[in-house]
Amino acid sequence: MKILNLLLFASLLLISAACNKDDDADPCTDLGDTIVGSWSLTALGMDLGDVEFKADGTLLDPDDALIGGEVGGVILDEKSYVVNGNTSFTATAEKGSNSVEVEYDVTAFDCDEITLDVLGIVA
């Protein structure tokens, strides 16, 4: 039930991320390269927490700002992501055989911000 509530909450949020990077030499035209690094997530003017996308596909999301969950008392704390072209990325939280996955549509991105579309609502 917690996973369903978490997914519903995440689906209703407008999410944008602000990056702590300061690399103006990179034109940031590839989402796969741009997303790597530390980001602060905000939705509806609220700070949701910080996440870090590692180059190896590991996602550090200690606040469960993008994804998280629990199944039968097992906390899904092994997190990863996959970039699907320049239009979306998929975040996964798992532990053993239990997992949950959310695909986020990316409507725009540059070096300092990634804008996501969640259920047709753009932030």
Side-chain angles (χ1 to χ4, degrees):
M1 189 65 171
K2 281 186 172 186
I3 289 178
L4 182 60
N5 289 339
L6 177 65
L7 290 175
L8 180 61
F9 178 72
S11 297
L12 296 175
L13 291 177
L14 300 174
I15 301 175
S16 67
C19 180
N20 295 330
K21 297 180 186 180
D22 190 21
D23 185 8
D24 295 330
D26 182 5
C28 301
T29 58
D30 180 63
L31 181 60
D33 292 334
T34 303
I35 202 169
V36 174
S38 297
W39 296 84
S40 296
L41 275 68
T42 59
L44 302 173
M46 297 179 351
D47 180 22
L48 299 179
D50 296 327
V51 297
E52 183 177 352
F53 294 87
K54 300 277 192 172
D56 67 358
T58 302
L59 173 63
L60 302 179
D61 183 7
D63 300 319
D64 296 339
L66 277 179
I67 193 161
E70 182 178 330
V71 176
V74 176
I75 297 172
L76 307 178
D77 60 357
E78 298 168 5
K79 299 177 185 179
S80 61
Y81 75 97
V82 174
V83 174
N84 311 312
N86 277 342
T87 60
S88 69
F89 68 91
T90 304
T92 304
E94 61 188 327
K95 186 74 165 204
S97 62
N98 299 310
S99 67
V100 64
E101 185 174 278
V102 177
E103 183 172 353
Y104 291 96
D105 292 325
V106 176
T107 58
F109 67 93
D110 60 30
C111 295
D112 297 325
E113 184 172 84
I114 297 175
T115 304
L116 307 176
D117 179 346
V118 180
L119 290 179
I121 302 170
V122 179

